[in-house]
Amino acid sequence: MAKAVLTPQAENFPAWYQDVVARAELAENGPARGTMVIRPWGYAIWELMQADMDRRIKATGAHNAAFPLFIPMSYLEKEKQHVEGFSPELAVVTHGGGEQLAEPLVVRPTSETVINYYFAKWIQSHRDLPLMLNLWNNVVRWELRPRLFLRTTEFLWQEGHTAHVTYEDAVEETRRMLEVYRQFMEELLAISVVVGEKSPGERFAGADQTFTCEALMRDGKALQMGTSHNLGHNFARAFDIRYLDADGERRHAATTSWGTSTRMIGGVIMAHGDDHGLRLPPAIAPHQVVVMQLDEESEVAEAAERIEAELRAAGVRTRLDARTHTSFGRRSVEWELKGVPVRIELGARELASGQATLVRRDNRRKNSVPLNGAARAAASLLGEIQQVLFAESRTFREEHTYPVTDFDEFKQRVGDGGLFLAAWSGTEESEQALREDSSATIRCIVEADPPAPTCLITGMPARHTVLIGRAY
């Protein structure tokens, strides 16, 4: 069988990643710097992710809505930390219709400000709460070092925004959505994640708390897969979101926001991919099974079509590849690159023996199965492959998470990748020193006993246990 021409992961992981994105026809660079064209295979993956996430979000009680792409600059300026945090990333429109605008418009980097403006209009009584909205949209954040799916100037995402009666309700919502994200990432994407709170230096601008799902990629770097923010009363005060409580007192609502994006596709590529291309979890594979017809004989074609029909009837997303004018090797490489979980190979020789060949993408193993049971055998593999990929992701993360108590040792080892479990004092100075001395960051604060009584960075008394690593 011909081999896919990809840069090996061990040789140059970033080049491998770019090769996979291109060769698997997931995305290309857009005409403006930092923009992205998502091709049909990549977008089909996103649609499957979107549909499942949408179902989970609605199950929490949130409703989908749509808000404007353009936001008056004055809206962002209402929350000081928010505008300071986003200022370097803003794209601003100053002219429209051939004239200078009376007020600059920001191209949506996130929607907290415009949504909270309308929350203030819509919320009058405690009976209006909770108010829970979710948006599926695009956002723009000016990116200096773009990389397809991981960091682009424009990307697709969902962003949830909620308002609640009490601060405690907002905390509960923040943690509930973090758990929704964790389950989605582990159950659908088959990626093992660590959940925890972000340090102050990594917190969302304008939030009291930010919680995160962190995953470890196969090159040893961390990837922030999704975040959930407790905004407390900060935006409610800035936008005067107040309600009349049951006793007739006017009180500020407490708000949250939370989001995931097409960055998760990059995570799937880097968590599961190998030197032959993508390995898609069956749950998000546009084609879960491809039936490869190897010969033009009518009997072979009829058998291939019958297997395809059986799989479709069983609810399996199936593609019949009858391109006999294209070589078997080239077609096999194409489906390997695209990460199709299972292939069924069927030609005259298989038909004569009454057997079909099943090929698993996760481990590239082949085995023969009776022709009349090929569809059932292929369908039965999907759940197993999903679980195998998740188990591999979890094992990889666990085997590459190291307790560390000596800062000099940490600085020597961090370049080799992995997550490092360390004690931390919680000071801003120590977090800044970590970045400057190692190019690593605190990925999250975790609920675990500190591996040492003193801070890894400063030697001060430890207050937290953190996971540290270099990240995308």
Side-chain angles (χ1 to χ4, degrees):
M1 181 186 296
K3 293 183 67 177
V5 182
L6 296 175
T7 304
Q9 288 186 357
E11 180 181 310
N12 188 328
F13 195 87
W16 168 85
Y17 177 84
Q18 298 291 355
D19 287 350
V20 171
V21 171
R23 293 291 305 276
E25 299 180 336
L26 295 170
E28 290 187 12
N29 290 312
R33 184 181 180 279
T35 59
M36 172 173 57
V37 175
I38 304 177
R39 301 187 66 179
W41 188 251
Y43 199 78
I45 294 170
W46 175 244
E47 285 182 312
L48 289 165
M49 293 165 61
Q50 183 186 37
D52 188 271
M53 178 68 82
D54 193 65
R55 174 184 60 79
R56 294 172 190 257
I57 289 172
K58 286 174 179 172
T60 71
H63 299 275
N64 287 347
F67 279 76
L69 177 67
F70 298 118
I71 302 173
M73 178 64 82
S74 59
Y75 283 30
L76 271 77
E77 292 172 341
K78 283 180 178 290
E79 215 293 324
K80 182 180 178 183
Q81 288 184 333
H82 191 68
V83 70
E84 287 178 355
F86 277 97
S87 287
E89 300 176 315
L90 296 181
V92 182
V93 178
T94 59
H95 289 72
E99 298 181 357
Q100 185 168 345
L101 301 179
E103 178 180 355
L105 298 175
V106 174
V107 183
R108 175 176 54 212
T110 181
S111 299
E112 277 79 5
T113 55
V114 65
I115 284 181
N116 280 284
Y117 173 85
Y118 283 93
F119 274 4
K121 291 181 64 176
W122 297 339
I123 296 169
Q124 303 299 324
S125 163
H126 65 95
R127 296 182 182 86
D128 299 325
L129 298 170
L131 181 52
M132 304 169 65
L133 301 181
N134 180 61
L135 282 59
W136 290 99
N137 57 25
N138 59 341
V139 293
V140 171
R141 298 179 182 179
W142 213 255
E143 183 57 54
L144 298 178
R145 293 178 294 277
R147 186 176 297 184
L148 292 172
F149 291 116
L150 300 177
R151 287 190 176 275
T152 49
T153 298
E154 180 186 11
F155 54 92
L156 304 180
W157 76 346
Q158 60 78 208
E159 50 174 314
H161 301 268
T162 69
H164 303 268
V165 169
T166 68
Y167 191 93
E168 291 72 25
D169 290 341
V171 171
E172 182 181 348
E173 171 66 15
T174 305
R175 290 188 174 275
R176 176 168 51 243
M177 283 311 304
L178 184 73
E179 178 62 12
V180 169
Y181 287 163
R182 184 197 66 79
Q183 291 181 9
F184 170 84
M185 291 162 190
E186 296 194 341
E187 294 171 3
L188 202 80
L189 308 186
I191 296 177
S192 178
V193 297
V194 178
V195 296
E197 184 177 352
K198 282 292 190 183
S199 59
E202 296 290 318
R203 187 181 295 155
F204 179 77
D208 281 0
Q209 296 171 293
T210 288
F211 296 90
T212 181
C213 295
E214 298 283 328
L216 187 63
M217 304 295 98
R218 290 167 74 92
D219 65 344
K221 286 187 177 180
L223 184 70
Q224 179 179 291
M225 299 277 287
T227 49
S228 184
H229 315 292
N230 168 24
L231 305 178
H233 297 114
N234 301 328
F235 284 87
R237 291 193 183 100
F239 287 87
D240 196 27
I241 307 172
R242 293 193 293 171
Y243 66 91
L244 203 64
D245 70 11
D247 298 321
E249 296 289 330
R250 293 198 66 79
R251 300 185 183 276
H252 282 109
T255 64
T256 79
S257 65
W258 24 270
T260 57
S261 74
T262 40
R263 168 180 278 205
M264 292 188 293
I265 297 177
V268 169
I269 298 167
M270 294 192 294
H272 299 311
D274 62 17
D275 284 348
H276 302 277
L278 280 174
R279 294 191 307 163
L280 286 177
I284 58 168
H287 305 330
Q288 295 171 310
V289 178
V290 165
V291 180
M292 293 184 64
Q293 179 185 327
L294 307 185
D295 302 296
E296 293 182 346
E297 283 87 345
S298 59
E299 292 85 354
V300 174
E302 290 171 3
E305 290 170 1
R306 185 169 60 251
I307 291 173
E308 179 203 20
E310 288 179 32
L311 284 162
R312 287 185 180 275
V316 177
R317 294 187 293 274
T318 308
R319 163 74 182 269
L320 174 59
D321 183 353
R323 298 173 296 166
T324 53
H325 57 281
T326 303
S327 73
F328 167 71
R330 183 173 179 178
R331 288 191 286 160
S332 297
V333 166
E334 177 185 339
W335 297 124
E336 278 208 324
L337 276 166
K338 289 180 177 292
V340 172
V342 179
R343 301 196 307 274
I344 299 175
E345 298 172 355
L346 181 61
R349 185 171 58 184
E350 286 79 10
L351 199 63
S353 66
Q355 302 281 309
T357 302
L358 257 61
V359 186
R360 293 175 56 152
R361 178 62 185 90
D362 62 325
N363 56 26
R364 306 185 75 230
R365 290 177 186 163
K366 292 187 175 186
N367 68 293
S368 296
V369 297
L371 197 60
N372 59 6
R376 290 191 302 276
S380 69
L381 285 176
L382 299 178
E384 179 183 339
I385 292 171
Q386 185 83 18
Q387 292 304 314
V388 165
L389 290 176
F390 174 69
E392 287 183 4
S393 172
R394 180 177 57 195
T395 299
F396 181 83
R397 178 179 59 78
E398 290 173 347
E399 291 179 348
H400 292 83
T401 300
Y402 317 104
V404 62
T405 57
D406 183 272
F407 195 39
D408 290 332
E409 176 194 353
F410 164 77
K411 288 187 287 186
Q412 291 175 355
R413 295 177 59 188
V414 70
D416 296 329
L419 295 171
F420 294 84
L421 199 65
W424 180 49
S425 63
T427 66
E428 181 181 345
E429 294 78 15
S430 62
E431 193 168 4
Q432 185 173 343
L434 174 67
R435 288 195 202 96
E436 293 174 353
D437 293 348
S438 68
S439 299
T441 53
I442 294 173
R443 302 316 307 155
C444 63
I445 302 167
V446 295
E447 295 181 3
D449 293 331
T454 57
C455 176
L456 172 72
I457 306 147
T458 64
M460 296 171 62
R463 295 179 53 205
H464 304 287
T465 302
V466 293
L467 279 176
I468 301 173
R470 290 181 179 169
Y472 284 93

